[in-house]
Amino acid sequence: VETALKILLGVVHAASGVTCYLYTRALTGNRSAGFVAGVAYVLSFWHVHLVMIMGRFTVSLVFLLFLFTFWSN
């Protein structure tokens, strides 16, 4: 169970970067800007600390779904 949770946290962490990439690409129309934004979002210290080090599962879901609130408009 512990290993499955760690894998799920990693997948959700990576998916949040993809979400940021898609949102930024839709907003700007630039794939490079989307890539930079996605990488910066995933590698930001607070994001990595909460999700990967502290293992906060609920926060990782918030990071994943957060940008959809802006994208819906």
Side-chain angles (χ1 to χ4, degrees):
V1 173
E2 185 176 325
T3 304
L5 185 60
K6 288 181 181 180
I7 291 171
L8 184 61
L9 282 172
V11 168
V12 170
H13 184 72
S16 68
V18 172
T19 303
C20 186
Y21 164 77
L22 292 173
Y23 172 69
T24 306
R25 191 183 72 181
L27 188 66
T28 64
N30 189 344
R31 294 175 69 187
S32 298
F35 178 76
V36 169
V39 169
Y41 189 65
V42 168
L43 294 180
S44 69
F45 175 75
W46 187 245
H47 192 172
V48 172
H49 180 70
L50 283 177
V51 176
M52 303 306 286
I53 296 172
M54 294 179 68
R56 299 278 179 97
F57 182 67
T58 54
V59 173
S60 68
L61 291 175
V62 169
F63 283 139
L64 173 62
L65 300 174
F66 176 68
L67 293 173
F68 284 120
T69 60
F70 299 113
W71 200 359
S72 64
N73 292 333

